[in-house]
């Protein structure tokens, strides 16, 4: 790759990141296959331009990548964990070098703001840094044996191949959440990115290859297959892939979970969210507004942690509703590479149609439109993917409110009485990813965080629902899938646990005092 510059246009950035106008869709990390599958066009939602094309991987390509991953694992698992961590450390350094161009490519291919694109690459850097420290802390436990002269302990070993199925909305960070941990654990990875954002995946593979080649990492440790759902089906049913980490819709996750479960494999599922912020009478307006607005419109409402619902106490309902409606009037929607804009486009026309249908459904169920939606037209909006962030006064029982729409639609509803009523409304949806409460009452915050409180995997106080840090385990309950990625002890899902008992005597006492005389 050429020397990194931050002031280049998209064409120059593609060249800098090693991307051609027409690309192959399968790699073992060591080389690219001459793939001959259907041609995938990566169309930028920013201006409707074709960024580049990819020849999708075929079943034969997938098979070749898996075989090479199996070979690579036999060697990679022999490396010490700190040695593997050193490679990941160098990857973090390389990502810092390419942060600006990769962040810009993320923004242009996916549609999120350039600032969010940069922050996504920063997440990659942060999880690499976390994984480097982890590489010296893959610990087990030592237990006392009930038998004299015996020692018991447990240790963790790598699983093998980790299959990664990622979504378009975080086209690079979620991949690296998995790979950074899996690699230091001694696993190898095969990635099937979203066919809606394949070019950023190629860029990541090229950056990784540069680091891996310099360190003599075995070929197959970082595999890539680009294509449609058929590749995900192959991976989910493949007994050679002991763990499949899948991020996407609940519908997709149910299919992956069923397939992996049928072969008694392991799945890590990060699926839909229907996240709410509870606003109590003691909430601070200057905290609520930025948290709620960014949560609802950041990434165009296309985050699994996006704020979908505001549950506001009746005593402060009018005050907060008026404030957030006024705040929406200040939002700027436009080219995400222009840092003066707050909101970029949706990913494609299918997403726009889903957004429009959700608004129609909300109105049909009796919702009141507080901030009108619609599609922007005219100069600067030629792609047809720019929509107006909308606010709808609704009831939690509406079918459309119970459904996750990946778009900037915020549903507002009222509660009365104490905070337990608001918590009940928040929990009364099928999803359980992220949640938040805005309050200055310690009683309310503790009730929200208690066993009778939020049923989500993430529960925040006086911050919004989006913007998770990598230090904590990320994931949710119910239809969100139950998986945990990123920080804390999420590394354990990438390893198999083994209990060891050592007898260092000349006798063989049996457990539970069993006598077996010969």
């Amino acid at each position: 790759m050429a020397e990194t510059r931050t002031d280049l246009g998209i064409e120059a950035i593609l060249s800098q990141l090693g991307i051609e106008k027409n690309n192959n869709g399968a790699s073992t990390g060591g080389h690219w296959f001459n793939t001959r599958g259907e041609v995938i066009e990566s169309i930028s939602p920013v201006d409707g331009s074709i960024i580049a094309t990819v020849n999708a991987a075929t079943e034969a390509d997938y098979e070749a990548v898996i075989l090479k991953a199996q070979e690579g694992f036999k060697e990679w698992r022999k490396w010490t964990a700190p040695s593997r961590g050193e490679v990941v450390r160098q990857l973090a350094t390389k990502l810092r070098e390419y942060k600006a161009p990769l962040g810009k490519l993320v923004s242009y291919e996916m549609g999120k703001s350039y600032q969010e694109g940069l922050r996504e690459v920063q997440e990659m850097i942060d999880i690499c840094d976390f994984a480097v420290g982890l590489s010296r802390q893959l610990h087990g436990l030592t237990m006392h044996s009930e038998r004299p002269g015996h020692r018991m302990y447990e240790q963790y070993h790598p699983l093998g191949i980790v299959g990664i199925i990622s979504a378009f909305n975080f086209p690079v960070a979620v991949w690296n959440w998995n790979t950074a941990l899996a690699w230091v654990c001694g696993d190898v990875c095969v990635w099937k990115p979203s066919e809606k954002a394949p070019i950023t995946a190629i860029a990541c593979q090229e950056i990784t290859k540069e680091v891996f080649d310099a360190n003599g990492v075995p070929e197959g440790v970082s595999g890539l297959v680009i294509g449609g759902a058929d590749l995900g089906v192959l991976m989910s049913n493949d007994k050679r892939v002991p763990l499949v980490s899948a991020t996407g819709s609940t519908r997709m996750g149910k299919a992956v979970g069923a397939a992996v479960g049928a072969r008694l494999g392991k799945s890590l599922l990060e699926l839909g969210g229907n996240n709410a912020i509870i606003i109590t009478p003691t909430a601070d307006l200057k905290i609520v507004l930025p948290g709620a607005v960014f949560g609802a419109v950041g990434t165009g409402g296309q985050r699994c942690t996006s704020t979908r619902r505001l549950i506001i106490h009746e005593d402060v309902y009018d005050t907060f509703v008026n404030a957030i409606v006024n705040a929406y009037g200040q939002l700027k929607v436009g080219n995400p590479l222009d840092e003066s804009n707050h909101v970029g486009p949706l990913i494609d026309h299918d997403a726009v149609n889903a957004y429009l249908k959700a608004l129609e459904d909300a109105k049909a169920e009796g919702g009141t439109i507080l901030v009108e939606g619609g599609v922007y037209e005219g100069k600067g909006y030629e792609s047809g993917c720019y929509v107006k962030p909308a606010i709808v006064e609704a009831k939690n029982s509406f079918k459309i409110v119970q459904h996750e729409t990946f778009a900037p639609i915020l549903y507002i509803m009222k509660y009365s009485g104490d905070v337990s009523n608001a918590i009940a409304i928040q929990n009364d949806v099928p999803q359980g990813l992220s949640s938040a409460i805005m309050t200055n009452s310690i009683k309310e915050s503790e009730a929200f965080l208690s066993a009778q409180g939020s049923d989500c995997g993430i529960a925040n106080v006086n911050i919004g629902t989006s913007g998770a840090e990598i230090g904590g385990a990320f994931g949710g309950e119910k239809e969100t899938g139950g998986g945990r990625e990123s920080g804390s002890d999420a590394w354990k899902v990438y390893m198999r646990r083994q209990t060891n008992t050592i007898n260092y005597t000349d006798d063989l006492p049996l457990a539970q005092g069993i006598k077996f005389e010969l």
Side-chain angles (χ1 to χ4, degrees):
M1 297 183 186
E3 180 183 354
T4 301
R5 289 178 55 193
T6 62
D7 59 344
L8 300 176
I10 293 300
E11 293 297 326
I13 283 176
L14 293 178
S15 175
Q16 186 181 78
L17 294 173
I19 298 167
E20 308 290 339
K21 291 303 293 182
N22 184 50
N23 301 271
N24 291 311
S27 169
T28 59
H31 76 278
W32 290 89
F33 290 87
N34 185 22
T35 50
R36 301 183 182 277
E38 66 174 331
V39 175
I40 298 173
E41 293 181 338
S42 176
I43 300 175
S44 171
V46 174
D47 55 19
S49 299
I50 297 175
I51 302 172
T53 62
V54 180
N55 298 316
T58 64
E59 183 173 349
D61 298 321
Y62 169 84
E63 181 68 18
V65 171
I66 290 292
L67 291 175
K68 187 57 70 173
Q70 287 183 303
E71 291 179 23
F73 174 61
K74 293 176 183 178
E75 178 63 28
W76 183 238
R77 65 185 176 182
K78 297 177 184 177
W79 287 42
T80 66
S83 297
R84 297 189 296 254
E86 169 59 19
V87 175
V88 173
R89 184 195 68 78
Q90 293 180 34
L91 178 59
T93 299
K94 191 62 63 175
L95 287 169
R96 286 180 171 92
E97 181 181 342
Y98 289 102
K99 179 177 177 180
L102 183 57
K104 184 174 285 189
L105 180 59
V106 167
S107 177
Y108 188 63
E109 185 173 41
M110 184 267 149
K112 64 176 59 176
S113 73
Y114 179 44
Q115 282 295 323
E116 291 183 80
L118 291 174
R119 296 286 79 75
E120 181 168 351
V121 180
Q122 185 62 48
E123 281 195 46
M124 300 172 75
I125 295 167
D126 291 344
I127 196 65
C128 284
D129 288 348
F130 179 90
V132 173
L134 181 65
S135 69
R136 294 179 181 271
Q137 301 180 67
L138 298 174
H139 55 80
L141 296 173
T142 299
M143 293 78 73
H144 289 281
S145 173
E146 67 183 51
R147 291 170 282 188
H150 285 60
R151 182 167 67 89
M152 289 181 64
Y153 69 94
E154 65 179 22
Q155 59 182 331
Y156 288 84
H157 295 300
L159 288 171
I161 300 174
V162 174
I164 302 168
I165 301 172
S166 63
F168 72 86
N169 59 331
F170 280 86
V172 296
V174 170
W175 165 75
N176 209 195
W177 277 12
N178 286 274
T179 55
L181 299 190
W183 285 333
V184 299
C185 289
D187 298 315
V188 300
C189 299
V190 175
W191 180 22
K192 193 210 89 65
S194 169
E195 60 269 36
K196 295 182 179 183
I199 306 306
T200 47
I202 294 172
C204 289
Q205 189 75 345
E206 289 291 340
I207 293 170
T208 302
K209 182 180 185 301
E210 188 173 346
V211 175
F212 280 21
D213 286 353
N215 287 273
V217 173
E219 186 178 351
V221 173
S222 180
L224 174 69
V225 287
I226 297 174
D230 57 316
L231 294 177
V233 172
L234 287 173
M235 185 179 287
S236 299
N237 287 282
D238 195 336
K239 293 181 178 180
R240 298 167 296 182
V241 183
L243 171 64
V244 176
S245 174
T247 303
S249 68
T250 298
R251 177 188 57 78
M252 179 276 290
K254 287 180 177 179
V256 171
V260 176
R263 59 179 175 84
L264 298 182
K266 298 172 68 176
S267 58
L268 194 171
L269 302 177
E270 297 288 359
L271 311 177
N274 197 344
N275 317 296
I277 297 177
I278 295 171
I279 301 174
T280 75
T282 64
D284 188 338
L285 181 61
K286 69 177 183 293
I287 291 178
V288 171
L289 276 183
V293 175
F294 176 75
V297 308
T299 320
Q302 297 171 115
R303 293 184 178 215
C304 53
T305 56
S306 290
T307 304
R308 309 286 176 202
R309 298 173 293 148
L310 288 187
I311 304 168
I312 309 173
H313 193 274
E314 60 182 359
D315 289 352
V316 292
Y317 185 82
D318 290 341
T319 298
F320 281 102
V321 169
N322 289 335
I324 198 164
V325 168
N326 289 334
Y328 265 53
Q330 302 171 43
L331 291 174
K332 296 179 181 178
V333 179
N335 188 323
L337 297 178
D338 180 348
E339 296 186 54
S340 67
N341 290 322
H342 300 104
V343 185
L346 298 186
I347 185 64
D348 56 22
H349 293 151
D350 288 341
V352 173
N353 291 334
Y355 157 86
L356 293 173
K357 186 177 187 303
L359 288 175
E360 289 301 317
D361 289 349
K363 287 189 285 187
E365 291 192 74
T368 301
I369 305 297
L370 301 181
V371 175
E372 287 286 346
V375 181
Y376 284 96
E377 298 178 348
K379 186 176 181 180
Y381 304 115
E382 290 85 357
S383 69
C385 294
Y386 293 87
V387 302
K388 300 174 182 178
I391 298 178
V392 182
E393 192 174 45
K395 293 182 179 179
N396 201 63
S397 59
F398 287 0
K399 289 182 179 179
I400 191 58
V401 175
Q402 295 281 311
H403 174 78
E404 180 192 39
T405 303
F406 241 44
I409 302 175
L410 179 63
Y411 299 108
I412 292 183
M413 55 204 70
K414 185 184 299 184
Y415 82 95
S416 57
D418 65 28
V419 74
S420 64
N421 295 329
I423 293 171
I425 294 171
Q426 179 209 272
N427 292 346
D428 189 22
V429 292
Q431 308 84 0
L433 178 53
S434 186
S435 59
I437 188 170
M438 299 292 185
T439 179
N440 282 328
S441 165
I442 191 170
K443 291 182 178 179
E444 290 178 334
S445 66
E446 289 299 321
F448 179 73
L449 299 174
S450 72
Q452 298 80 40
S454 171
D455 64 1
C456 297
I458 299 169
N460 298 327
V461 177
N462 289 331
I463 60 173
T465 60
S466 62
E469 299 180 29
I470 61 94
F474 180 90
E477 303 301 322
K478 302 190 292 188
E479 287 193 359
T480 301
R484 292 297 185 275
E485 292 176 314
S486 192
S488 186
D489 64 348
W491 61 271
K492 291 181 179 180
V493 76
Y494 301 96
M495 306 194 82
R496 58 182 177 88
R497 185 193 304 238
Q498 184 181 81
T499 300
N500 309 116
T501 306
I502 300 171
N503 176 7
Y504 54 90
T505 73
D506 295 327
D507 299 318
L508 184 62
L510 301 179
Q512 292 85 46
I514 293 175
K515 301 295 183 181
F516 187 74
E517 304 290 345
L518 290 177

